[in-house]
Amino acid sequence: MEKVYRSIQKSVKDIAQKSYRNNLVAGTSGNVSFYDRDHEVMAITASNLDYEIMETEDIVLMKLDGEILYNRDIHKPSSEWQMHAEIYKGLENVNSVIHTHSPRATSFAVVHQDIPLILVEMLPFLGGDIPRAKFALPGTDALGKSAVAALQERNACLLENHGVVAVGSTVEQAYIRAVYVEDAATIYHYARQVGHPVIVSEKDQEKMKEKYKR
Ligand SMILES: [Zn+2]
């Protein structure tokens, strides 16, 4: 069956390596998945695998209940597979999830601060500000439920004391959103060094929402 999924596995692998090259993750942390809703198959990065040696065939195929369909006979799925599964169960329009520990955004997750809507790009790409998902233990479905609650009407959130989750309809879209999270966190961080960041006014937010709807 894995032959059918080669192109999906390849895009998951490519984006995982891109997130490593662009410093959104360090070591073997972070994970990427795509969910084929028609066949109910999730393609997800393997646990504890070096990004630099990762191959297309290393991407695990599994069901959302944990049943492994393909793992190259050696791999365990990412330790956060339950978080990914909960997001797919809870958010019907999401087909890809990326989890990073990108450092500037994660620093806001560590001090339990949301990133407010300080940049115009945040509205179309992220759906608004970047809220926090309440703390839950890593590797649990509770973490996924917490993320689902934060991702209502948003495309990305912070995981308290942990990192970032971004979602999309494709792996490329989820990735770009994860990049925008780190970009917004970086600019917000610098803006606080030079003065008091001004949040986009409610009135202008509403006008922009109307514009992007069209
Ligand atoms: Zn993590």
Side-chain angles (χ1 to χ4, degrees):
M1 70 156 298
E2 63 269 21
K3 282 207 171 65
V4 180
Y5 284 94
R6 276 293 187 266
S7 68
I8 289 173
Q9 287 173 297
K10 184 174 185 304
S11 42
V12 169
K13 185 221 57 153
D14 286 348
I15 288 297
Q17 289 184 318
K18 200 169 175 182
S19 66
Y20 177 73
R21 285 197 303 270
N22 291 317
N23 300 315
L24 298 183
V25 295
T28 61
S29 73
N31 26 76
V32 181
S33 71
F34 179 83
Y35 185 46
D36 173 359
R37 289 191 178 270
D38 292 340
H39 303 95
E40 300 181 343
V41 173
M42 174 167 72
I44 188 165
T45 43
S47 177
N48 251 324
L49 182 67
D50 189 330
Y51 284 99
E52 295 194 54
I53 60 162
M54 190 181 286
E55 297 178 320
T56 295
E57 293 79 6
D58 291 317
I59 302 302
V60 174
L61 300 175
M62 66 188 298
K63 293 284 187 181
L64 295 190
D65 65 4
E67 185 195 344
I68 302 291
L69 304 171
Y70 166 84
N71 66 349
R72 213 177 189 177
D73 295 329
I74 42 172
H75 293 308
K76 283 187 185 157
S78 159
S79 61
E80 293 297 1
W81 70 266
Q82 289 179 91
M83 175 180 76
H84 290 245
E86 283 303 318
I87 293 173
Y88 293 128
K89 285 189 245 174
L91 299 169
E92 283 178 358
N93 56 336
V94 169
N95 299 318
S96 182
V97 175
I98 181 166
H99 165 51
T100 78
H101 295 176
S102 65
R104 294 181 195 91
T106 302
S107 70
F108 287 98
V110 166
V111 295
H112 290 203
Q113 287 180 19
D114 298 346
I115 300 172
L117 206 161
I118 43 127
L119 287 175
V120 291
E121 285 84 2
M122 291 173 75
L123 204 53
F125 285 98
L126 304 177
D129 62 356
I130 308 168
R132 281 172 290 132
K134 276 215 162 304
F135 183 83
L137 292 176
T140 63
D141 58 354
L143 183 60
K145 290 191 170 87
S146 178
V148 168
L151 290 169
Q152 304 294 324
E153 320 229 324
R154 291 291 183 278
N155 302 322
C157 68
L158 306 175
L159 304 176
E160 288 181 343
N161 301 93
H162 187 162
V164 173
V165 168
V167 299
S169 49
T170 64
V171 281
E172 290 78 12
Q173 188 179 50
Y175 170 78
I176 284 294
R177 289 168 174 176
V179 170
Y180 273 104
V181 169
E182 186 63 2
D183 185 53
T186 303
I187 292 166
Y188 186 46
H189 173 79
Y190 286 139
R192 291 192 350 171
Q193 312 306 306
V194 295
H196 297 286
V198 177
I199 292 154
V200 178
S201 75
E202 296 274 341
K203 206 174 91 195
D204 288 330
Q205 286 187 37
E206 289 310 315
K207 280 187 204 159
M208 284 166 68
K209 275 182 202 160
E210 277 307 308
K211 184 182 159 206
Y212 292 123
K213 245 184 245 164
R214 276 188 256 122

